[in-house]
Amino acid sequence: MKIEGMAALVTGGGSGLGAATARALAAGGAKVALLDRNVGAVEEIAAEIGGAAFFCDVASAESAEAAVQKAADAHGAARILINCAGVAPARKVLNKAGTMPLDEFRQAIEVNLIGTFNLLRLFAAAASQLDPLETGERGVAINTASVAAYDGQIGQTAYAASKGGVVGLTLPAAREFAQFGIRVVTIAPGIFETAMLKGLPEAAQESLGAAVPFPPRLGRPEEYARLALHIIANEMLNGETIRLDGALRMAPR
């Protein structure tokens, strides 16, 4: 699918992977709507790239429906969805304070997994009604998992479970949407330069990066964005989860 002139939705567009992908889409000529709970952040990015910004709690049906409708009113129904909104809780199931509160596990599932499904269902419903492009496509959705879905570390039970769910829904969703010409692909990043990691001391960042076989550094959001753009352009990529991790395999700790 060509990007130029297409309407795109980017969740978690106020920072990190989402912001980098929004910039890349806009540079390619897409009409980008950024959805995030942090309205100030997405408004800043939207002003920079000439896009539109809307509040969205991805775990809420009502909030997501309203945001997707506002984006459609601004740019038309989207043919591109990039799901980057997420949280990364870190807590052991059993710890000195007792057990992990159930609500903490529930929040990870609601934001990372239910939030991904929520936007995917709304995007597919609208895209399925569009006329097919010359390639036969009507849309492409890119979800964000994590290498933790495969080798989650101690303290990542909630995060790994939520991201494992994103991996698990990729193929059946792609099979279901094939009749409409809508592709579904997931990216599973390794350790990337996000706001959370940038807050760590420089020595800690270097230590994390050194664990990556090659290149021995943290991934850059722009590298995620480049892969997302390639997925959009390559119509044979469908129903797959792609690790973007420099051959990293996470240790238990």
Side-chain angles (χ1 to χ4, degrees):
M1 179 188 297
K2 294 180 180 179
I3 293 171
E4 186 174 4
M6 301 300 177
L9 299 172
V10 181
T11 73
S15 63
L17 306 180
T21 307
R23 290 187 178 102
L25 286 166
K31 298 175 290 186
V32 184
L34 300 97
L35 312 182
D36 204 302
R37 295 188 66 175
N38 188 337
V39 177
V42 285
E43 286 180 342
E44 184 176 335
I45 301 296
E48 172 193 332
I49 66 174
F54 304 103
F55 171 84
C56 182
D57 176 356
V58 296
S60 163
E62 294 78 11
S63 179
E65 288 165 8
V68 170
Q69 184 59 58
K70 289 177 182 177
D73 291 342
H75 295 154
R79 290 191 185 269
I80 298 167
L81 168 66
I82 312 290
N83 265 321
C84 286
V87 294
R91 187 190 290 265
K92 293 180 180 179
V93 178
L94 302 176
N95 53 71
K96 293 180 180 179
T99 60
M100 177 195 296
L102 186 58
D103 282 346
E104 290 190 15
F105 185 89
R106 181 179 287 112
Q107 182 191 33
I109 299 298
E110 287 183 348
V111 176
N112 295 345
L113 178 54
I114 294 176
T116 294
F117 175 80
N118 192 16
L119 269 295
L120 181 62
R121 72 185 181 95
L122 297 174
F123 166 77
S128 66
Q129 301 303 309
L130 296 173
D131 292 333
L133 302 172
E134 60 183 16
T135 59
E137 296 172 280
R138 286 188 171 88
V140 55
I142 299 174
N143 300 321
T144 304
S146 166
V147 296
Y150 304 100
D151 29 79
Q153 296 182 297
I154 291 172
Q156 287 189 321
T157 49
Y159 184 65
S162 67
K163 293 301 188 177
V166 175
V167 172
L169 66 78
T170 302
L171 180 58
R175 286 172 163 171
E176 180 178 339
F177 299 157
Q179 62 181 312
F180 304 114
I182 298 172
R183 294 186 288 123
V184 183
V185 178
T186 293
I187 299 175
I191 306 174
F192 270 64
E193 293 175 350
T194 60
M196 180 179 64
L197 284 181
K198 285 183 178 179
L200 296 176
E202 188 67 28
Q205 293 186 45
E206 291 178 358
S207 176
L208 286 169
V212 181
F214 188 84
R217 58 169 173 78
L218 300 178
R220 296 168 183 145
E222 294 77 15
E223 293 167 326
Y224 174 100
R226 288 205 300 271
L227 178 55
L229 264 60
H230 178 76
I231 291 168
I232 295 167
N234 190 334
E235 63 197 73
M236 188 54 74
L237 284 172
N238 192 18
E240 185 58 271
T241 298
I242 303 170
R243 290 184 67 133
L244 185 65
D245 59 15
L248 174 69
R249 297 298 181 269
M250 303 281 277
R253 298 178 184 273

